[in-house]
Amino acid sequence: MIYLDAAATTPVRREVLEAMWPYLTGEFGNASSHHELGARAKDALEDARASVASVLGCRPSEVVFTSGGTESDNLAVKGLVLPMIAGATPAAAAETARVHVAVSSIEHAAVLESARYLQRWHGVDVTELPVNSGGLVSVEELDAYLSAKSAAGYSKGLVSIMYANNEVGTVQDISALSAVAHHYGALFHTDAVQAAGWLSLDVSQLGVDALSISGHKLGAPKGCGVLFASRAVTLEPIINGGGQQRGLRSGTEGVANAVGIATALTLAETEREASSRRMTELRNGFLSRVRELVPSVVLTGLEPGEGNRLPNNASLIFPGFNGESVLLELERRGVICSSGSACAAGSTDPSHVLIAMGISEDDARTAVRFSLPSTITAEDLERAATLLSQSIDHLANLRLK
């Protein structure tokens, strides 16, 4: 099997399993317990928090462990906006109407649906910012939007724009976008789930107030994530209970998962620059070979040479062919990939990301995403390109019969 769906998930790394193992066995203490076993669990938890903070360039107290990217996005979007809402009195309703949220039109569903929740239940003004054909949000358009909101009396707001897109790999200029948001007094969150391991996560350089990460994209288990939340902002918890993690995310901490994501993130950061160079070269070679074997293929998003694309992403459309049929043929030949976001599995709707980029619904339904794991080899990719060509030829022959 040739696995080319790393944007969906990655296998747990051996180093991560070994780091987690003690806290899945003998060191099973509750980090809130006031005895030796609990104290050791708390020490491990705080060591993990410090390790994550080291990668993010933040204080350990600004690291919140969550169940994954979806929870981190929900906590960020809802948690940053809810304190801006004055309340439910008639006088407060007018103030609520002065709160706005701007998200890009290609965000992950966790961000989009969180924003829509705030709109539906709290009357928050929500705007989906357009992107160009490459999937980029314009800094100038964000400036114009925020200027208009400021002029209209919107004094409080949040901008949430993902660092790197999960379908087409487009990388946004987060530092420039966050600077514009802060100029108008808005907070800024970025979903960095796909960026982790490939791009710098230094929150001071990015200029963000909150940043989301998911462990299973990095070689940690599913069910663990991180939210960076600056202590300079007010964050309302969305899970209430015993007050763990400064009251921002109550519930008995999963020490093993915290250790796991901290280990995976540290390893990924150590390897990041070398892995990015290697993967860029392999991805470019794979793309060139596919274009040679299947001349009708179209790359979605930015060309690799333009620099604003994840090094392991190649999102392709095959005009005239059903994307699901291509996937099935590839899987029959031992190549695993996807038609887009794994979180939209089972949906027959065309990708909202591709539609937002100006791709027609018919072409969007032909999309196939290849996201390369760090363990892939040039030989694997050469074989995958050949098998892709065979799959397209087979489907073309079926169409002619």
Side-chain angles (χ1 to χ4, degrees):
M1 179 184 75
I2 302 174
Y3 183 73
L4 303 178
D5 199 17
T9 197
T10 58
V12 179
R13 295 184 60 158
R14 182 178 182 87
E15 303 98 318
V16 172
L17 282 173
E18 290 176 348
M20 293 175 67
W21 184 248
Y23 306 99
L24 293 169
T25 53
E27 296 294 335
F28 58 85
N30 185 325
S32 297
S33 295
H34 297 288
H35 48 59
E36 184 179 351
L37 196 60
R40 291 202 298 268
K42 183 176 182 180
D43 287 345
L45 185 67
E46 295 313 313
D47 285 347
R49 201 183 305 279
S51 294
V52 172
S54 178
V55 173
L56 301 184
C58 67
R59 291 179 286 185
S61 60
E62 296 175 312
V63 173
V64 182
F65 290 112
T66 69
S67 64
T70 291
E71 185 189 340
S72 293
D73 284 344
N74 272 259
L75 178 55
V77 175
K78 296 173 184 175
L80 290 172
V81 173
L82 287 174
M84 301 177 188
I85 299 171
T89 65
E95 181 65 20
T96 299
R98 300 277 76 97
V99 175
H100 71 93
V101 173
V103 298
S104 83
S105 55
I106 61 171
E107 291 299 307
H108 188 278
V111 167
L112 291 173
E113 291 304 321
S114 292
R116 290 165 187 165
Y117 161 85
L118 291 168
Q119 182 180 50
R120 190 166 59 247
W121 291 102
H122 297 285
V124 172
D125 182 275
V126 174
T127 299
E128 292 186 17
L129 302 168
V131 296
N132 65 16
S133 60
L136 285 171
V137 176
S138 164
V139 174
E140 292 73 22
E141 286 189 19
L142 176 62
D143 189 289
Y145 160 82
L146 290 170
S147 177
K149 285 298 180 187
S150 179
Y154 286 79
S155 59
K156 302 173 185 177
L158 170 70
V159 177
S160 182
I161 298 174
M162 68 195 326
Y163 196 172
N165 185 261
N166 53 313
E167 294 190 31
V168 298
T170 298
V171 177
Q172 307 288 345
D173 188 349
I174 295 299
S175 60
L177 293 165
S178 65
V180 170
H182 290 151
H183 174 74
Y184 290 97
L187 300 180
F188 195 96
H189 162 253
T190 190
D191 177 331
V193 166
Q194 296 294 335
W198 301 113
L199 305 171
S200 171
L201 299 178
D202 188 310
V203 295
S204 61
Q205 291 181 4
L206 294 172
V208 297
D209 300 292
L211 177 147
S212 305
I213 301 173
S214 179
H216 73 101
K217 314 293 186 178
L218 292 163
K222 300 171 187 66
C224 58
V226 163
L227 177 69
F228 155 74
S230 170
R231 292 200 69 138
V233 301
T234 301
L235 187 72
E236 177 68 18
I238 59 174
I239 296 178
N240 303 108
Q244 291 88 346
Q245 301 201 75
R246 293 196 290 128
L248 298 178
R249 205 278 189 178
S250 291
T252 301
E253 298 98 337
V255 177
N257 276 352
V259 170
I261 193 171
T263 303
L265 189 60
T266 300
L267 288 168
E269 178 62 19
T270 301
E271 301 163 355
R272 178 171 59 83
E273 291 186 3
S275 291
S276 293
R277 287 194 298 270
R278 175 178 175 272
M279 197 56 60
T280 298
E281 182 178 347
L282 288 174
R283 188 272 316 281
N284 290 350
F286 172 69
L287 181 57
S288 295
R289 185 63 171 145
V290 170
R291 283 171 157 169
E292 179 184 328
L293 295 172
V294 188
S296 63
V297 72
V298 177
L299 178 72
T300 61
L302 299 165
E303 285 290 332
E306 294 177 288
N308 287 359
R309 191 184 190 110
L310 286 176
N312 71 327
N313 176 283
S315 172
L316 308 173
I317 57 176
F318 298 89
F321 295 91
N322 181 280
E324 293 297 327
S325 297
V326 176
L327 289 177
L328 290 172
E329 282 302 314
L330 282 170
E331 186 170 0
R332 193 165 67 85
R333 290 169 168 79
V335 179
I336 304 297
C337 49
S338 71
S339 57
S341 172
C343 300
S347 172
T348 58
D349 294 333
S351 161
H352 74 281
V353 171
L354 299 183
I355 297 300
M357 291 164 55
I359 295 170
S360 71
E361 289 193 10
D362 286 343
D363 282 346
R365 287 191 171 93
T366 77
V368 177
R369 179 188 68 183
F370 298 89
S371 48
L372 318 183
S374 59
T375 54
I376 202 71
T377 66
E379 291 75 20
D380 290 334
L381 293 175
E382 172 64 28
R383 178 154 177 76
T386 300
L387 293 171
L388 173 59
S389 175
Q390 292 174 5
S391 297
I392 295 296
D393 288 344
H394 175 74
L395 292 171
N397 289 333
L398 288 178
R399 196 168 55 185
L400 293 173
K401 290 181 179 179

